[in-house]
Amino acid sequence: MTSAPPYRLDIHGSDHHGENAALRERGPVALVELPGGLTAWAVTGHDELQSLLADARVAKNPGNWNALQEGRVPADWPLLGMITIPGMTSADGEDHRRLRGLVSRGFTPRRVEALRPQVEAIVAELLDRMATLAPGPVDLREHFAYPLPMRVIGELLGIPEELRDELHEHSGVVVRSSATPEQAIAAQRGLFGVLGAVAAERRAQPGDDLTSDLIAAREAGESGPGDRLSEQEVVGTMMLMLIAGHATTLNLITNAVRALTAFPEQRELVRSGAVPWSAVVEETLRYDSPVNHFLMRFALDDIEIGGVVIRRGDGILASYTAAGRDPRHYEEADRFDVTREPNRHLSLGHGLHFCLGAPLARLEAEVALRELYARFPQVRAVGEPVPIASFLSNSVQTLPVTLKG
C-alpha cells in the first residue's frame, strides 16, 4: 500500500493529459480521491490495465465495494448512478453473460455492416447542411459529431426523434463528475423516466428495434426464465446503450478532428491515400481516448499489481486515456502517428467487458471522417478548446471549425 496521500482528481477535467502524466509519475497504479473524499485506485499503465481488465479477481457489481457496504457513500453521491445502473456494466458471472448475450444480437458484424448505407446517408445529409454554414466557424460537435451517432443509436433503440436531445442532455450530466448531487439525481430520473416511457410504448406496440427485442426476451424468455430481463434491466440496458452508443463516438470524432488539426502532416498522409481512415480511428482511440476514467471495478481479493496491493473491496478506475499514452508501452506516446504499427490499445476495453458496440463506433467514425475530409479537405479546428467538465469523459464542449474547400 502506498504511503503517498491520494491524488485528488480534478472534477472539472481541466487538463486530462497533464493530470494523467502526474498520475503515471506515481506509478502505473495510483490512489486517487473522488468527490466526497472517497478513494479508489487508478490503473494508468497499459500493461497493468490490460492485466486488470482480464483478472477474474475483479468484479463490476457494486455490492463488492467496501465503501458502499459500510455506508460511506452518500445516497446522493453524484457518481453513484453510473456505478449502480442495472445492466452489463454492473453485472458479473452468469448475470453478465445473460445480459450480454441478449444485447450482442444487435451488434453482430453482419448486422453492423448492414447499417453502413444508413450511416453513409446520414453523414451525407449532415454534410449537406454544414455546407450551408460554410466557411464557418461552425460547431462540428453540434452539427456533425453529435447527430450522427445519436440518430443511429436512437433508431436502433426505437427512440422517437423528439426525445433524443433531451436524453443527450441528461446523459451528459450523468457522466459529468462536476455535477451537483441535485443535478445528477435529476438527470438520472430524467433518463429513466423518458426511457421507461419508450419501453412502455414498445411493449404496447413492438417495433423492429432493439428495445422491442429486449422486451420480447423479458416477456417470453428464449431458453427459459433465466434469459428474461427485469423491468429495471430493460431500462438500464437501454440507458447504457444510449450513453455508450452516442457519447463515446461523439468524443471520438471530435478528438480525431482536433488531432488532425494539430498534426497536419498526418492529415495529409490520410488524404493522399497512403494510410486508411481506419488508422486515424485507431490512433485517435489510443492518443485521445473518448473515456478518461471508467467507473468502476472492485477487488474480490487482495491483488498485487504495479507495485501496490489493492485490498479486497477497494474500488478501481480503468484509466483509458492515461494508458493510451503510457511511454513504457508506446514510443513517442504523446505524438499522433497514423502510421503507428502495431497499434493495439485498450480504449474499447479488454476481456469479458470489451465494448459490444466497438464495430459500430469504428464504422461511424471511419465513414464520418472520410466523408468530412472529402467534402471539406481543409477543415480545421479554431479557437481555444473548453474541456468537458468531467474526469470521466475526454473531449471538449464545442469544436468550432472552419470549412474550406
Side-chain angles (χ1 to χ4, degrees):
M1 179 80 71
T2 180
S3 59
Y7 185 106
R8 179 178 293 180
L9 295 179
D10 177 10
I11 62 172
H12 299 289
S14 305
D15 179 15
H16 286 326
H17 294 298
E19 183 169 79
N20 287 334
L23 284 172
R24 286 194 302 266
E25 288 180 2
R26 294 187 166 210
V29 181
L31 190 65
V32 297
E33 182 179 329
L34 306 174
L38 298 169
T39 60
W41 296 95
V43 182
T44 62
H46 176 281
D47 294 348
E48 289 77 12
L49 181 56
Q50 180 170 317
S51 175
L52 178 92
L53 295 176
D55 198 321
R57 297 171 297 172
V58 176
K60 295 281 286 181
N61 189 317
N64 296 292
W65 189 17
N66 284 349
L68 185 63
Q69 296 307 307
E70 294 168 2
R72 290 186 281 120
V73 182
D76 64 351
W77 192 56
L79 301 176
L80 186 59
M82 282 295 297
I83 296 172
T84 58
I85 297 172
M88 289 180 294
T89 61
S90 61
D92 300 303
E94 182 59 25
D95 280 342
H96 177 259
R97 183 209 63 78
R98 175 175 58 93
L99 291 163
R100 189 177 179 93
L102 289 168
V103 176
S104 65
R105 301 168 194 174
F107 294 95
T108 63
R110 178 179 296 181
R111 292 192 70 169
V112 169
E113 185 58 32
L115 293 172
R116 182 179 293 273
Q118 178 184 353
V119 172
E120 291 175 339
I122 295 172
V123 166
E125 178 187 331
L126 295 173
L127 291 175
D128 286 343
R129 293 181 185 176
M130 286 182 61
T132 67
L133 304 174
V138 55
D139 184 359
L140 191 83
R141 270 181 82 87
E142 177 184 353
H143 294 282
F144 187 66
Y146 158 62
L148 169 61
M150 179 54 95
R151 281 180 60 175
V152 173
I153 195 64
E155 291 174 19
L156 281 174
L157 288 172
I159 297 172
E161 183 176 355
E162 64 270 17
L163 298 177
R164 295 171 191 171
D165 286 348
E166 179 183 356
L167 289 169
H168 171 63
E169 292 298 322
H170 288 321
S171 63
V173 175
V174 166
V175 300
R176 199 171 73 212
S177 57
S178 60
T180 66
E182 294 77 16
Q183 290 170 334
I185 291 172
Q188 292 160 22
R189 288 175 177 169
L191 277 175
F192 274 95
V194 174
L195 293 175
V198 172
E201 177 66 22
R202 290 295 163 267
R203 188 175 301 110
Q205 296 181 316
D208 183 18
D209 54 69
L210 291 178
T211 298
S212 297
D213 290 346
L214 290 172
I215 292 168
R218 184 182 72 83
E219 296 292 352
E222 296 197 6
S223 60
D227 274 347
R228 298 179 185 177
L229 299 184
S230 70
E231 186 77 17
Q232 281 196 326
E233 284 174 333
V234 170
V235 179
T237 299
M238 292 172 67
M239 180 175 169
L240 292 169
M241 292 171 66
L242 173 80
I243 296 175
H246 92 278
T248 51
T249 307
L250 161 59
N251 289 350
L252 172 57
I253 295 170
T254 302
N255 293 355
V257 173
R258 294 180 65 213
L260 291 170
T261 298
F263 296 88
E265 76 285 356
Q266 301 295 308
R267 179 191 65 202
E268 294 310 309
L269 277 175
V270 190
R271 287 190 54 231
S272 70
V275 179
W277 283 102
S278 58
V280 176
V281 173
E282 299 308 312
E283 178 65 349
T284 303
L285 286 166
R286 179 205 70 83
Y287 172 80
D288 215 7
S289 172
V291 177
N292 188 39
H293 299 295
F294 193 93
L295 295 170
M296 193 183 302
R297 287 168 167 78
F298 311 99
L300 296 177
D301 202 346
D302 290 355
I303 303 171
E304 184 173 356
I305 183 171
V308 303
V309 176
I310 299 176
R311 298 298 182 187
R312 178 179 180 178
D314 284 356
I316 308 169
L317 306 182
S319 302
Y320 293 117
T321 304
R325 295 202 188 185
D326 183 353
R328 301 174 308 148
H329 190 82
Y330 300 102
E331 293 185 9
E332 295 186 276
D334 289 327
R335 172 177 167 75
F336 184 77
D337 182 2
V338 296
T339 67
R340 191 180 297 273
E341 286 290 345
N343 194 12
R344 299 186 181 91
H345 56 77
L346 300 170
S347 290
L348 296 170
H350 178 69
L352 292 176
H353 287 272
F354 181 79
C355 177
L356 268 178
L360 180 57
R362 285 173 161 134
L363 169 65
E364 291 174 338
E366 183 177 346
V367 171
L369 294 168
R370 183 191 71 211
E371 297 304 316
L372 172 66
Y373 283 89
R375 180 75 69 92
F376 306 109
Q378 300 303 319
V379 61
R380 62 185 179 86
V382 295
E384 288 297 319
V386 178
I388 293 174
S390 179
F391 59 63
L392 303 178
S393 294
N394 176 42
S395 194
V396 292
Q397 296 181 31
T398 62
L399 187 67
V401 299
T402 57
L403 305 172
K404 298 180 180 179

